Amino acid sequence: MDKFEYFSGIPEVGIVPRAPHAGPLLRHVYEQEHGRGGFAGKVTHTYHLYPPNNWLPGETRVLDGWAPLWESRLRPIGGVHHALGVSTPAEPRDVYRGMARLVANATVAMNVTAPTAPMDYFFEHYSATLVVFVHQGGGTLETLFGPIAYGRGDFLVVPKGIPHRFELAAGPQYYWVYESFAGDPEKSEAPTTGQFLTHSRSDYKFPRTLDTRNEAGRFEVVSKVGAVYTRRVHPTHPFDVVGWRGDYLPYRFAVEDVRPLTADRSHVPPSGHTIFKLPGCYLCVFTVRSVEKEGMWLPFFHRNLDYCETIGYHFGDFFSRGGVVREGMVTVHPVGLPHGPQPAAQKALMDGHRPRLHNEVGIMADFTNPAQISEFALGLSQPDYMKSWAAYTTEPRFAHRPDRLAEVRSLAEGLADARDELRPRPDTP
Ligand SMILES: [Fe+2]
């Protein structure tokens, strides 16, 4: 025994050889590599009791129509905002068989699932890394590397290809599931704000408890490549791992650990709340934060000319939606079409109200052009969402008035010398 303890340069748990592919232990356990970038990217090695390829001959099947709503046909989207109601599946489905696509571009998709049935199989997604946001529910994500407990408000990142299974706790479950087809989520950082805004890598919780299964039986594994679902059957439990080493791992990240950027005298744009960058998509979290002390505290009217914006509403005031949107709903704002506060929120700003807190959590995913919406999502679209801005045409304070131009000129003249309270004032003691 060494006199001192040491960290290995690579995370490792359990029984592992001195180095990948090296040492006499490899004559007694089965090493498996899980690697990205064609043997040149992130990689983890797992060490198994039984050969990973011990599937039963003649049991492999392509499963037709296995997750039909996951393959819901996509349509072009434009010129109309959508608010998608909460999905309420007609029949009991598990996490993946009940997965339903909402929005997608070439490299990222957003889906929803509201599972009520257990998974009686293990799942491997060969086309995408999954980012799951748990809007409601909880349980245990069982993975090859060990279990991860999760609950409401957690993100779960499951890298492409990693065998896993959701064990659901009792009660309703509702997840938004983002698929990244062209790369793993990258933590968003900027040189101006450093590596601890909007969160720290120490907030990621990787599995460390091995739950090695030395079990015989019939263990079904379903894999997905594009729209092809295939089942195979193994005679031993797939989580027969005695140790692993590497940095290609699933993890949990709690939304409460997002520590948002705030600004006293300006409005932080949505991109300032980015947590993950995916190829073709930004994933942002609007969380509980102080209201700006001066300047705009509402989002400004804007048209996003390069992204289709989605927001999943987790809880809270949803200040900019003026009470139109409820928890669990998703808005889809297509590229170009202007949007901004609903009239009630705009009135609050104009009347000088300034709340202390933005008391809300919303998950925004912005998709680069061209993004499409699914037929399933169109079926959830609330017919009245475009009307939620109707007061801009009917309320006298927003509607046309012959004296409006003169009024603005006069107000602007009165405000010409107005300044922020928080500005530097060297002459004031
Ligand atoms: Fe927007």
Side-chain angles (χ1 to χ4, degrees):
M1 277 294 284
D2 244 324
K3 184 176 172 188
F4 303 113
E5 289 188 276
Y6 302 94
F7 291 109
S8 159
I10 305 176
E12 64 180 45
V13 168
I15 298 168
V16 293
R18 281 187 79 83
H21 322 318
L25 182 67
L26 295 181
R27 288 176 29 232
H28 307 284
V29 295
Y30 302 91
E31 182 185 75
Q32 183 176 201
E33 180 165 301
H34 312 261
R36 298 298 296 272
F39 305 102
K42 282 194 161 193
V43 64
T44 294
H45 294 93
T46 46
Y47 297 91
H48 297 259
L49 298 175
Y50 304 102
N53 290 18
N54 67 350
W55 50 69
L56 297 174
E59 291 272 8
T60 300
R61 305 255 186 288
V62 170
L63 306 166
D64 289 326
W66 189 78
L69 296 176
W70 205 347
E71 308 305 327
S72 178
R73 190 199 300 256
L74 293 164
R75 299 276 184 207
I77 178 175
V80 176
H81 293 312
H82 294 276
L84 311 181
V86 173
S87 170
T88 49
E91 50 191 294
R93 295 275 188 166
D94 65 60
V95 171
Y96 290 110
R97 268 179 279 210
M99 189 76 74
R101 180 145 297 174
L102 297 178
V103 174
N105 63 12
T107 52
V108 182
M110 177 183 185
N111 310 279
V112 66
T113 186
T116 51
M119 280 175 71
D120 53 3
Y121 58 94
F122 301 87
F123 192 72
E124 299 171 341
H125 198 326
Y126 297 150
S127 297
T129 287
L130 298 163
V131 180
V132 178
F133 180 74
V134 180
H135 168 63
Q136 196 176 20
T140 305
L141 173 66
E142 298 173 351
T143 82
L144 196 62
F145 306 100
I148 303 175
Y150 69 93
R152 176 179 160 85
D154 282 334
F155 287 95
L156 297 167
V157 177
V158 184
K160 184 196 276 192
I162 299 304
H164 63 279
R165 183 180 161 272
F166 284 88
E167 179 73 31
L168 305 177
Q173 309 276 338
Y174 202 86
Y175 313 156
W176 293 308
V177 179
Y178 304 89
E179 294 170 277
S180 180
F181 304 118
D184 296 322
E186 229 181 81
K187 180 175 178 289
S188 177
E189 291 177 2
T192 44
T193 50
Q195 60 169 299
F196 305 115
L197 284 174
T198 54
H199 63 279
S200 163
R201 277 187 179 74
S202 59
D203 296 316
Y204 298 158
K205 304 303 173 194
F206 299 94
R208 200 174 174 175
T209 306
L210 263 188
D211 182 15
T212 310
R213 305 293 185 90
N214 182 22
E215 291 173 25
R218 272 182 65 86
F219 300 93
E220 299 197 3
V221 180
V222 175
S223 66
K224 173 174 168 67
V225 178
V228 178
Y229 300 84
T230 310
R231 183 209 69 177
R232 62 182 198 270
V233 184
H234 292 259
T236 54
H237 198 293
F239 298 166
D240 62 342
V241 172
V242 294
W244 56 258
R245 179 194 279 125
D247 58 2
Y248 187 62
L249 299 167
Y251 59 94
R252 182 186 74 207
F253 170 49
V255 81
E256 72 171 59
D257 289 330
V258 175
R259 303 175 191 89
L261 188 63
T262 58
D264 281 346
R265 298 175 61 190
S266 187
H267 186 85
V268 176
S271 48
H273 300 288
T274 308
I275 58 160
F276 291 131
K277 288 186 285 186
L278 317 172
C281 179
Y282 289 97
L283 208 57
C284 312
V285 169
F286 302 117
T287 187
V288 177
R289 63 197 184 280
S290 307
V291 166
E292 296 82 341
K293 292 194 175 75
E294 297 191 85
M296 287 284 286
W297 60 268
L298 273 183
F300 37 85
F301 292 97
H302 61 282
R303 54 185 79 218
N304 194 333
L305 297 172
D306 293 302
Y307 289 85
C308 170
E309 301 182 7
T310 68
I311 300 182
Y313 294 84
H314 181 48
F315 86 87
D317 301 336
F318 311 136
F319 58 92
S320 67
R321 304 270 76 89
V324 173
V325 172
R326 288 178 296 106
E327 289 180 7
M329 289 177 68
V330 171
T331 54
V332 182
H333 294 165
V335 68
L337 188 62
H339 53 277
Q342 255 76 12
Q346 182 66 27
K347 271 197 284 191
L349 173 86
M350 294 169 77
D351 292 341
H353 296 305
R354 190 178 292 274
R356 195 176 65 82
L357 278 183
H358 296 302
N359 189 31
E360 61 187 4
V361 172
I363 313 301
M364 182 168 89
D366 285 0
F367 293 77
T368 52
N369 291 340
Q372 296 190 298
I373 191 165
S374 72
E375 290 181 351
F376 173 82
L378 291 171
L380 293 176
S381 186
Q382 308 287 296
D384 288 341
Y385 186 47
M386 284 292 275
K387 292 184 194 154
S388 66
W389 292 275
Y392 285 135
T393 60
T394 55
E395 288 215 9
R397 76 186 297 174
F398 297 123
H400 176 263
R401 295 193 309 275
D403 62 347
R404 174 73 176 139
L405 178 57
E407 177 191 70
V408 168
R409 281 180 171 150
S410 158
L411 282 166
E413 205 174 293
L415 291 170
D417 293 324
R419 296 288 182 272
D420 284 354
E421 285 295 312
L422 289 168
R423 72 187 190 278
R425 298 154 98 170
D427 299 338
T428 310

